Amino acid sequence: MNNKEFVAVLSRKMGYKGEQTQKLLGCLLNAMGDSFMEGDSIQIANFGSFEVKKKLERVMVSPTTGQRMLVPPKLVLGFKPHSTWKDKLKNEEK
């Protein structure tokens, strides 16, 4: 599902116009992005949690050359779904 389809589904369910829904979604994502830039985590009830994690510096070996390289530390965004979503997806497989 792309952004346009997602906004259309949300606007139908919420009873808003597409433009209003797009603006609301944009504000939500901007606020989430600002929180991530500050290093904060976000927990959404019955959905899951987003957390900024720091990956440590590490040494990797290039498979083609065998040369060892130092990979600098970096921040990554992780998502952990709520247990109800995990259960629903497991039950869908069966």
Side-chain angles (χ1 to χ4, degrees), residues 69-83:
M69 296 182 282
L70 187 63
V71 178
K74 62 181 177 177
L75 298 176
V76 294
L77 182 63
F79 174 71
K80 184 177 179 185
H82 191 269
S83 60

Side-chain angles (χ1 to χ4, degrees), residues 42-51 53 77-90:
I42 296 177
Q43 295 179 344
I44 302 173
N46 297 322
F47 183 70
S49 60
F50 295 90
E51 183 179 7
K53 298 178 183 179
L77 182 63
F79 174 71
K80 184 177 179 185
H82 191 269
S83 60
T84 57
W85 286 108
K86 288 181 184 180
D87 295 340
K88 285 180 184 181
L89 290 174
K90 284 181 184 177

